[in-house]
Amino acid sequence: MSDQTPYDCRANHKAAFDDISPVLLEDHLRKTGSKLAKQVKERGVEEILEDMQLLVGPPELRYIQNVAIMMFCELVTIEIEPDCINIMNFPGIDRSISEKTIAEGKRFVSRHYRNRRLGEFLKELDLSEGHSSGIPTIQEELEKNGSPRAEFFTDEDRRAMRIRIPIHPAFLEEGTDITETEEKTTKKVTKKMKQYSLILNFMADGEWHKTSEITEILGLKDTRTKELLKELVSLDKLVDDGKTKGKQYRLK
């Protein structure tokens, strides 16, 4: 039988307490008015997460729930381009949402509510939207501002999601071909998402791999491959062995 536990409530068997940012944890508790905010430094991350019911498993082997990783680790990258803002997030859009619906960018209604606990946390911060109204709200606010609609993308494996918010027409430099600029940016980011996916799929075996192996698969220069690997480490998708020379990587 498949695991019916929502994704955000499942144990993350690869996460460690060092992956949790005490700063983000304390900031969340402070914003929600919790007395635990003043105890983070004194008691430590593990005890605070225990009090927040974000750990699962037997007493001798506690695991962090995915929701804590999503809330208190920085897994989002924001890139500011000349013609837009790109927001990259892991994981991607649920498979129950069709590519046609994603391309339309109107309303995403999933058959599976995989992040119920995450929604509760965001609701405490007044950052959540119920009834699948989040995407329509984004588009409505952009329209009020006179900005183009946001665009949503995901890779075939649904490992990552990208949101593209185009620049307001008033800020375009005179003579700029917006269509050409958009195409270049979209092509660039889509290419990066595919490269991320290739790397993560190759490393699905959980073994350590050298940069040279990834370079060969991607067909890129060594320096560019190292940049991509470094980005995936910062996104908490990969770990390196800490060596200065001959560094190796594997899935986290």
Side-chain angles (χ1 to χ4, degrees):
M1 293 180 63
S2 60
D3 188 355
Q4 298 300 313
T5 305
Y7 174 80
D8 57 352
C9 291
R10 296 177 195 169
N12 190 311
H13 297 278
K14 297 180 180 179
F17 291 107
D18 288 343
D19 296 328
I20 300 295
S21 167
V23 176
L24 294 179
L25 178 59
E26 183 177 338
D27 183 61
H28 170 81
L29 293 169
R30 179 177 52 78
K31 287 180 178 177
T32 55
S34 173
K35 294 180 180 179
L36 291 174
K38 297 181 180 180
Q39 302 176 27
V40 175
K41 293 179 181 178
E42 178 183 348
R43 298 176 59 201
V45 166
E46 183 173 355
E47 288 190 20
I48 298 299
L49 292 182
E50 187 73 71
D51 285 356
M52 295 173 71
Q53 299 182 351
L54 291 174
L55 302 182
V56 293
E60 66 275 11
L61 188 60
R62 302 295 274 163
Y63 291 106
I64 304 171
Q65 288 184 330
N66 282 322
V67 63
I69 301 299
M70 291 188 283
M71 283 293 298
F72 309 124
C73 292
E74 298 177 21
L75 301 179
V76 177
T77 60
I78 300 175
E79 297 180 344
I80 300 177
E81 303 283 351
D83 65 318
C84 68
I85 294 176
N86 279 304
I87 303 171
M88 187 87 77
N89 180 69
F90 291 88
I93 301 170
D94 191 83
R95 289 185 180 277
S96 64
I97 299 174
S98 69
E99 292 185 8
K100 180 176 180 293
T101 300
I102 295 172
E104 291 174 347
K106 294 179 180 179
R107 184 185 297 271
F108 297 170
V109 181
S110 173
R111 294 197 300 269
H112 311 289
Y113 194 179
R114 64 180 181 181
N115 295 324
R116 189 180 302 276
R117 189 78 191 277
L118 179 62
E120 294 173 0
F121 274 94
L122 295 177
K123 188 175 182 180
E124 289 182 324
L125 297 169
D126 294 324
L127 294 175
S128 65
E129 286 285 344
H131 309 293
S132 302
S133 59
I135 303 301
T137 299
I138 291 173
Q139 303 292 26
E140 288 170 9
E141 292 302 317
L142 287 171
E143 184 178 358
K144 289 179 185 177
N145 190 54
S147 299
R149 292 172 61 82
E151 301 171 307
F152 300 83
F153 307 87
T154 190
D155 59 300
E156 292 181 2
D157 297 320
R158 302 294 175 100
R159 286 183 176 273
M161 176 182 73
R162 177 171 71 92
I163 304 174
R164 179 180 181 276
I165 303 178
I167 188 174
H168 192 290
F171 290 92
L172 286 172
E173 295 183 6
E174 188 175 348
T176 300
D177 187 335
I178 184 61
T179 302
E180 182 180 350
T181 306
E182 287 178 353
E183 289 177 352
K184 287 181 179 179
T185 302
T186 298
K187 185 177 180 180
K188 173 185 174 183
V189 178
T190 301
K191 182 179 180 181
K192 178 182 284 191
M193 289 180 70
K194 288 182 178 179
Q195 290 169 337
Y196 280 168
S197 186
L198 281 172
I199 294 171
L200 295 174
N201 284 336
F202 178 72
M203 293 191 169
D205 59 5
E207 300 295 329
W208 290 99
H209 292 281
K210 298 178 181 178
T211 303
S212 58
E213 296 178 65
I214 310 301
T215 299
E216 185 176 347
I217 290 172
L218 297 177
L220 299 174
K221 293 183 178 179
D222 188 66
T223 51
R224 178 54 184 155
T225 301
K226 288 180 179 178
E227 289 175 359
L228 291 169
L229 291 170
K230 185 177 180 180
E231 289 171 7
L232 286 170
V233 169
S234 67
L235 287 168
D236 215 33
K237 305 304 291 184
L238 299 179
V239 292
D240 62 54
D241 58 11
K243 295 181 180 179
T244 304
K245 294 184 178 180
K247 185 172 291 186
Q248 297 188 71
Y249 301 82
R250 66 172 172 80
L251 282 182
K252 187 163 186 178

